[in-house]
Amino acid sequence: MALVSADTRIAELLTELHQLIKQTQEERSRSEHNLLNIQKTHERMQTENKTSPYYRTKLRGLYTTAKADAEAECSILRHALDKIAEIKSLLEERRIAARMAGVYNDSDPPRKTMRRGVLMTLLQQSAMTLPLWIGKPGESPPPLCGAIPASSDYVAKQGDKVAARVKAVDGDEQWILAEVVSYSHSTNKYEVDDIDEEGKERHTLSRRRIIPLPQWKANPETDPEALFSKDQLVLALYPQTTCFYRALIHTPPPRPQDDYSVLFEDTSYADGYSPPLNVAQRYVVACKENKKK
C-alpha cells in the first residue's frame, strides 16, 4: 500500500515539475525582449558616443525589470529543485520499503545477486546525481555540503550512505562504504550494511566509527570554502572499490561537475603517494586521523 501511494505521489510531482519547466521557459522567453532592449540601448549610446540623462533613466528601468525577471525565474527554478528533491526522497523511501518487503527491481537488485560491474555503475550514478548546493545570495552552505561536516548531534537516516570503520577478516581496521540500517538512541550505535555484495555483513558501530557522506556537491565558483583544499588529508573512495583510503588533495574540483584529484598513500611509490586519481565529491570525507601511517 505504501509503495502504491509513493508511486501516485511521484506521478503528481512529475506533472508539477513539468509545469514548472514550462513556466521557466515562458519566463525566459518573456525576459529576452527586455535583454535585447538593453543591448540595443548600449549600442545606440556607443554610436552617439554620449550618456544622456534619457539613456541613464531608460537603462535604469530596463535593468530593474531584468533583475525582477531573473528573480522570478530563479524562484521557479528553486521550486523545481524542491520537487526533484522530494521525488528523490520518495524513490529512496520506496527502495528501502521494497527491500524490507523482499521486492526488488532491475535498478536495485538484491546485494547477493548484484554483479560488481553493476555496483560500480550504481555508485558512479549516485555521485553524478548528487545535487549541487545552490544558496541564496549571502547564504552559507549547510552541513554535509562538500567538505562541511555534519553537526555534532546529526544522526544519519536509514538508507543513507556512510563511511564506516570496521574490522577486516585479518583483524586490521578499514573504512568501507556502507548503508545505514538503523540507529539506536539508547546505545548510540548504528547498524550498517557493507555496500559490497561480496561482504554481505552487517556491523554494529559507535557514532565515532561513522562518517556521513556529503548530501550536496559544493560549487567551486560560489562556495570554494566548502571544498577540501590542496594538500589536505582526506579519506577517499579508491576507484573501482568500496573502501576508503587516506589521501592528499592534489587539486579541488575546478567546476561543479568535476571531481577531486587526489594522491592516495601508497608505499609502492618512492614518494609514498600514488599518481593523481579522480574521486567524486560524494566519496571524499575528512580524515579523522591526521598522522601519516
Side-chain angles (χ1 to χ4, degrees):
M1 192 70 180
L3 295 178
V4 175
S5 60
D7 286 345
T8 303
R9 180 58 185 150
I10 289 170
E12 292 172 353
L13 287 166
L14 287 170
T15 301
E16 293 170 17
L17 181 60
H18 182 251
Q19 290 301 317
L20 287 168
I21 292 170
K22 285 176 64 178
Q23 286 178 36
T24 302
Q25 189 55 51
E26 290 165 2
E27 192 68 43
R28 189 166 296 175
S29 299
R30 188 168 63 248
S31 64
E32 280 177 358
H33 176 70
N34 186 64
L35 294 174
L36 188 60
N37 273 342
I38 291 174
Q39 182 183 342
K40 287 181 176 179
T41 303
H42 277 290
E43 288 172 355
R44 281 197 292 271
M45 287 168 59
Q46 288 176 343
T47 302
E48 298 176 16
N49 198 24
K50 65 177 182 179
T51 307
S52 65
Y54 165 75
Y55 282 133
R56 281 200 295 269
T57 303
K58 183 177 181 180
L59 279 175
R60 190 178 294 115
L62 289 171
Y63 275 113
T64 299
T65 302
K67 182 173 180 288
D69 288 344
E71 287 171 346
E73 185 180 335
C74 184
S75 176
I76 296 170
L77 288 171
R78 288 186 184 282
H79 199 185
L81 288 172
D82 289 341
K83 298 292 179 188
I84 292 170
E86 191 175 347
I87 290 169
K88 289 186 72 173
S89 177
L90 284 168
L91 287 171
E92 180 66 6
E93 287 176 13
R94 186 175 70 176
R95 182 188 71 83
I96 293 169
R99 189 182 67 180
M100 292 178 69
V103 180
Y104 298 94
N105 56 46
D106 292 339
S107 64
D108 183 36
R111 291 190 306 147
K112 65 182 179 181
T113 65
M114 194 185 300
R115 295 191 307 275
R116 188 153 193 89
V118 174
L119 175 61
M120 293 301 117
T121 300
L122 290 175
L123 296 183
Q124 192 175 28
Q125 288 174 348
S126 175
M128 290 175 62
T129 58
L130 188 69
L132 179 69
W133 168 255
I134 303 173
K136 296 176 182 176
E139 186 178 10
S140 298
L144 294 180
C145 172
I148 301 176
S151 58
S152 58
D153 59 349
Y154 178 80
V155 174
K157 302 186 299 297
Q158 182 185 36
D160 281 0
K161 305 299 187 294
V162 296
R165 189 176 186 179
V166 301
K167 277 195 174 180
V169 178
D170 58 8
D172 287 344
E173 297 205 326
Q174 62 181 4
W175 288 94
I176 64 167
L177 180 61
E179 181 175 320
V180 173
V181 177
S182 63
Y183 177 76
S184 170
H185 288 276
S186 59
T187 62
N188 287 329
K189 288 189 176 181
Y190 285 99
E191 276 203 336
V192 302
D193 280 342
D194 186 340
I195 203 74
D196 192 341
E197 54 90 15
E198 292 175 358
K200 303 193 198 75
E201 289 185 41
R202 180 161 293 181
H203 304 272
T204 301
L205 303 169
S206 62
R207 290 173 64 120
R208 64 185 178 84
R209 288 178 169 267
I210 296 291
I211 304 176
L213 298 190
Q215 294 184 353
W216 295 276
K217 281 186 279 194
N219 188 341
E221 296 161 1
T222 57
D223 304 300
E225 75 282 359
L227 290 165
F228 292 110
S229 54
K230 181 176 173 60
D231 294 331
Q232 193 166 351
L233 183 64
V234 296
L235 288 172
L237 195 72
Y238 197 89
Q240 298 301 307
T241 76
T242 58
C243 290
F244 291 83
Y245 296 98
R246 293 155 58 91
L248 290 180
I249 298 296
H250 180 57
T251 54
R255 299 174 301 170
Q257 67 270 32
D258 293 332
D259 296 337
Y260 282 100
S261 175
V262 307
L263 309 173
F264 284 97
E265 291 184 358
D266 191 334
T267 55
S268 64
Y269 292 92
D271 62 356
Y273 292 98
S274 71
L277 292 170
N278 288 347
V279 181
Q281 281 199 48
R282 172 73 163 161
Y283 303 122
V284 179
V285 295
C287 184
K288 291 188 173 182
E289 310 149 351
N290 292 322
K291 293 181 181 177
K292 183 178 176 181
K293 292 182 180 178

